[in-house]
Amino acid sequence: MNLIDLNLMPAMPEIVLFALLIAVLLADLWISDENRYLTHLMSLGTVIIVAVTQLAVWEQGSTLAFHGMYIADGMSRLSKLVLYGLTFGLFIYSKPYNQARGIFKGEFYTLSLFALLGMSVMVSAAHFLTAYIGLELLSLSLYAMIALRRDSGRSAEAALKYFVLGALASGLLLYGISMVYGATGSLEFATVLASSYSELANEWLLKLGLVFIVVAVAFKLGAVPFHMWVPDVYHGAPTSVAAFIGTAPKIAAVMFAFRILLTGFGEVHQYWAPMFAVLAVASLVVGNLAAIMQTNIKRMLAYSTVSHMGFILLAFMAGSIGATAGLYYAITYALMAAAGFGILMVLSNDNIECEEIKDLAGLNQRHAWFALLMLLVMFSMAGIPPLMGFYAKFGVIMVLLKFHHVWLSVFAVVMSLIGAFYYLRVVKVMYFDEPTHDQPVGSNYAAKFFLSVNAFLLVLWGVMPQTMIDWCARALENTL
């Protein structure tokens, strides 16, 4: 074996990210708390350099590396660029919030970059072991990030819950992978697909392994009944960490599911599609009904995440045909969640932790621009045209109708109408309730600018949705 056989060039973005990450980690040891902004700047520079590296090695088609364990294709390239953009934006949004909470430390940035590395490996996995390594690198980083506020018992509790349940899900995933290996004799997605197609695999062992894998995937997506960790983690973690958990890892989890189920088990779609239908229906019901009862906006967004994951699971019902709609929905959700959590961080200051819905009362009177941005986010999440969220839901429903899943389409529409209630309640509080305090909004102009750009993209890609849809379709052309 030599370096030529490994074909390192497709994985150059991950190699560069790891090298720069180590540099940031070592440099932060010598930076005092007063100069912590240097770590912030180095982390932003790292994300920019990695994104440029990804563009520099961009090429059409699929390229394998590391003897078939790593793949660089359209889906992975587009996903990584979105992950880089989200991480960059969240670094900008979180800086003033972390400074006010005493967690403006190097650990936040290094753990975030480690998580980004894990997500990059996940979306480029062509082998079960590669996917598992990326998933664990992401998960371990998130466990530590949730407990970043060492003086907060709520954060420690949330981290412990996530760790215990995450370890259980990882064990189930490994157990399922071992069964797949026993059934097919391989852990490469392409080989597993060929074995299931040619009926050479042990059918019952393959089905049993598939059940365990679907359970692990459902946990990572936060689908019912494996959603118990989502509201506690969102509520217990600092808002900056909750923003990170609720955005980029969701895209990585969706791509992880697409890799395993569509690339590895595409030919046995009839086995796992009914399981996803049950998970999707349960997620839509529980997510929307539970969100109505929440007074804490972070918990409300957590339960709404469960309902959004239900829509993404519905896209799986169409197999490879629904991949475009699923990828578009995942990107849409990440942009909406980033803007929503970003606004909460900007509205928080030394005296106010903006996490209750009542904290947004009279926001239009205090800061009309941020009220407008939050209105766009809530309308988009509710699926009101012409915002991006509408076309994301519309695309999933059209795919379901194409495959004659009429009852699922009708059910999804009804659940969307129910979900609109708690999103519009936030708008009502901002515009019609009297302010409960007169605390000024933070003055970080970089965060305000990027939040405005974030919300503008929800409008732009809502008015012209075909642009992003075409990008997703082209990314998937040489993938599935």
Side-chain angles (χ1 to χ4, degrees), residues 262 266 269-270 272-273 277 313-326 394-410 480:
L262 295 180
H269 173 260
Q270 71 274 15
W272 54 262
L313 291 174
L314 289 177
F316 280 86
M317 296 293 298
S320 60
I321 304 299
T324 300
F394 181 75
V396 172
I397 292 171
M398 290 302 296
V399 168
L400 291 175
L401 290 174
K402 184 177 180 179
F403 281 79
H404 308 293
H405 298 300
V406 178
W407 73 272
L408 280 175
S409 303
V410 174
L480 302 175

Side-chain angles (χ1 to χ4, degrees), residues 387-443:
L387 293 165
M388 198 175 176
F390 167 76
Y391 289 100
K393 294 183 177 182
F394 181 75
V396 172
I397 292 171
M398 290 302 296
V399 168
L400 291 175
L401 290 174
K402 184 177 180 179
F403 281 79
H404 308 293
H405 298 300
V406 178
W407 73 272
L408 280 175
S409 303
V410 174
F411 182 79
V413 172
V414 173
M415 288 296 104
S416 294
L417 293 176
I418 295 175
F421 170 79
Y422 53 84
Y423 292 125
L424 295 179
R425 180 179 61 183
V426 175
V427 176
K428 175 258 180 187
V429 168
M430 291 191 302
Y431 281 87
F432 298 105
D433 287 8
E434 292 297 323
T436 57
H437 59 83
D438 57 356
Q439 292 290 331
V441 175
S443 59

Side-chain angles (χ1 to χ4, degrees), residues 20 41 44 50 53 61 98 107 115 131 136 184 192 202-203 273 299:
L20 294 176
L41 294 177
L44 291 176
V50 174
T53 305
N98 288 345
E107 291 92 333
E136 286 306 293
T184 63
V192 171
N202 184 314
E203 183 178 354
R299 294 186 73 90

Side-chain angles (χ1 to χ4, degrees), residues 38-65:
L38 294 175
T39 304
H40 173 75
L41 294 177
M42 285 190 295
S43 300
L44 291 176
T46 296
V47 177
I48 293 173
I49 293 172
V50 174
V52 171
T53 305
Q54 179 65 72
L55 293 173
V57 299
W58 194 288
E59 58 184 65
Q60 298 299 321
S62 302
T63 306
L64 290 172

Side-chain angles (χ1 to χ4, degrees), residues 1-55:
M1 182 184 296
N2 53 49
L3 292 179
I4 296 177
D5 293 332
L6 291 178
N7 190 17
L8 298 179
M9 191 55 65
M12 192 54 62
E14 285 75 24
I15 296 172
V16 172
L17 174 57
F18 181 70
L20 294 176
L21 166 58
I22 297 301
V24 172
L25 180 63
L26 294 176
D28 183 70
L29 296 175
W30 303 95
I31 295 176
S32 62
D33 289 340
E34 293 76 16
N35 297 319
R36 195 65 64 189
Y37 69 91
L38 294 175
T39 304
H40 173 75
L41 294 177
M42 285 190 295
S43 300
L44 291 176
T46 296
V47 177
I48 293 173
I49 293 172
V50 174
V52 171
T53 305
Q54 179 65 72
L55 293 173

Side-chain angles (χ1 to χ4, degrees), residues 104-119:
F104 186 56
K105 299 180 182 298
E107 291 92 333
F108 175 81
Y109 293 99
T110 53
L111 288 170
S112 296
L113 292 175
F114 269 119
L116 179 60
L117 179 60
M119 290 185 282

